[in-house]
Amino acid sequence: MTEVQTTRAAAVPDEGRRGRKKRETRERLAHVATLMFIERGFENVTIAEIAEAADVSKMTVSNYFPLKEDLVFDAHEGVVDSLARVVRERAAGESALHALHRVFVSSLERPHVVNGRCTPGFARLVHDSPRLRAREREMDEQREAALAAALAHAAQTDPEDPVPHLSAAQLAGAHRVLWRRMRALCRAAAPAAQLREEITELAGTAFGMLEPVLGDYCLRER
């Protein structure tokens, strides 16, 4: 496990010995690389140096991570799917808005793919690198698209119906504001209690502003 747990993939049940070893290699490479990036800066570390530190070939690093940025965001698939998953797993009688608010607030005790909480070192690493910030923006767009698809499925509408896309844009926009404020507090090494209190209050404001429009949208049948 590296500096941040928000981007780490969970173990897969019954993955088999081969699958487990591949996952462990992937996690070790990401761990080694992220620590090097935090110490020296993302742009100042080469793939060759990561391979040497991890005692593998450059080809092995590239096979697991075609993009250097994904050594930092190594479980980006889980991050991209995070909001859509909340919608898919929302409780009976719960709207998409209420589910996203509930899960976000309940996740604040620890780093989680939904909330963006991480260590000061990781937060500064991403903030200080234009390439990593650009990669996060790509992930933001992918996360919003995945949320729109989940909302369209939940509402049983055509995938091209603009309403789920408009709804996803508003929900994902609120989430981005929360995520960025979380990262700012992490960079400043804010105490955990302050972080939870401020972000919980901001989440109430952000999702509360959407209540008149989206409070009853995509209610899950009881």
Side-chain angles (χ1 to χ4, degrees), residues 117-143:
R117 182 173 173 180
C118 59
T119 65
F122 187 90
R124 292 167 190 154
L125 166 66
V126 176
H127 181 265
D128 293 344
S129 169
R131 286 176 60 182
L132 293 179
R133 293 200 307 273
R135 180 60 174 144
E136 261 201 338
R137 286 194 295 272
E138 290 178 1
M139 291 167 61
D140 284 341
E141 292 178 2
Q142 294 166 357
R143 183 165 44 202

Side-chain angles (χ1 to χ4, degrees), residues 42-101:
F42 180 76
E43 283 77 10
N44 299 324
V45 179
T46 67
I47 296 298
E49 290 172 323
I50 294 166
E52 181 178 358
D55 196 24
V56 299
S57 68
K58 286 177 59 179
M59 182 67 71
T60 297
V61 178
S62 297
N63 284 341
Y64 278 93
F65 298 99
L67 293 176
K68 183 181 173 184
E69 290 87 341
D70 286 338
L71 281 156
V72 177
F73 304 117
D74 62 297
H76 64 277
E77 290 180 3
V79 176
V80 167
D81 187 55
S82 58
L83 303 185
R85 181 175 181 177
V86 171
V87 171
R88 292 195 302 270
E89 298 179 354
R90 69 198 187 285
E94 192 172 36
S95 70
L97 172 69
H98 295 160
L100 288 166
H101 186 185

